[in-house]
Structure formats: structure tokens, C-alpha cells
Amino acid sequence: MITPNPSLQVFQNKLNLPKKELLLEIELNGKMKFEHLMNTIYNQMGICHRVLSANVEYVNGYSFGTIQLYINVNSEDYQQLEFYLNKNKLINTAVEYTCRSYF
């Protein structure tokens, strides 16, 4: 008997959701290491990102500073990321990225 894979169905549903380009700024306050945050966003949540700027200082193994990321996500993935950041008490701000195209 062949049973449907529920994770495959979820993946297929996510393909149809519209994506937005966002600029996300995160303030590191020593509660999480920079490397751990980047690993979680990419490997565990599956969100591809580009680091636009990073001003990170390490004090006794703790990360402080700000990072700016460019992400292209659907609303469901962004809500998951925002929940994760808020749960870990990381201040974050997102702005929708719009680019003018000249023809």
C-alpha cells in the first residue's frame, strides 16, 4: 500500500504562495550567536538570504550588533521567522523591497 507523504503535499502547497522581497534588520543583543542565527534561518527554516551588512562584535562569546538581510519569502515562512526572532527576544524590523525598473 502506498501512502501519500504529508511533507510533500505541504511543499507543493508552498510553491503556489506569492513571495515578497524583504529587507530584514535584526539586532543581536547577546542572547544568540550570529552563526547560530544564520544556520537556523537557512538550514532549519529553509529561507535563503543575502547578508547586506553585518556589524557584529563578540564579547565573551556573545554576539552584539546589527545585521541586515535580503530575503525572498512567502508570508507563512516570514511569520515563522518573525515568531522565532520574537521568541528569542531579538528585535527585528522588516521593510518590503521594491526596485524600480527602467525600460
Side-chain angles (χ1 to χ4, degrees):
M1 174 179 209
I2 299 174
T3 58
N5 185 347
S7 62
L8 182 60
Q9 291 174 347
V10 170
F11 181 71
Q12 289 173 345
N13 290 339
K14 283 188 174 187
L15 291 177
N16 297 331
L17 295 175
K19 290 188 171 187
K20 289 186 179 181
E21 295 179 346
L22 300 173
L23 301 178
L24 177 65
E25 183 171 278
I26 303 169
E27 183 177 324
L28 298 171
N29 53 12
K31 298 191 184 291
M32 181 178 293
K33 290 185 178 183
F34 172 73
E35 296 83 7
H36 178 69
L37 177 62
M38 295 294 103
N39 182 45
T40 301
I41 291 173
Y42 181 71
N43 290 332
Q44 293 179 4
M45 295 184 182
I47 298 174
C48 294
H49 61 275
R50 286 188 215 146
V51 177
L52 300 177
S53 71
N55 182 14
V56 180
E57 294 185 26
Y58 299 94
V59 179
N60 295 331
Y62 298 102
S63 301
F64 294 91
T66 59
I67 56 172
Q68 293 179 342
L69 303 175
Y70 166 84
I71 57 175
N72 189 359
V73 295
N74 59 42
S75 59
E76 187 177 293
D77 288 340
Y78 176 69
Q79 286 177 351
Q80 179 186 5
L81 175 59
E82 188 176 35
F83 177 77
Y84 176 79
L85 295 172
N86 292 334
K87 184 178 94 174
N88 288 289
K89 297 180 176 42
L90 295 172
I91 297 171
N92 60 88
T93 306
V95 177
E96 189 168 347
Y97 176 76
T98 55
C99 182
R100 292 183 184 166
S101 59
Y102 299 96
F103 296 101

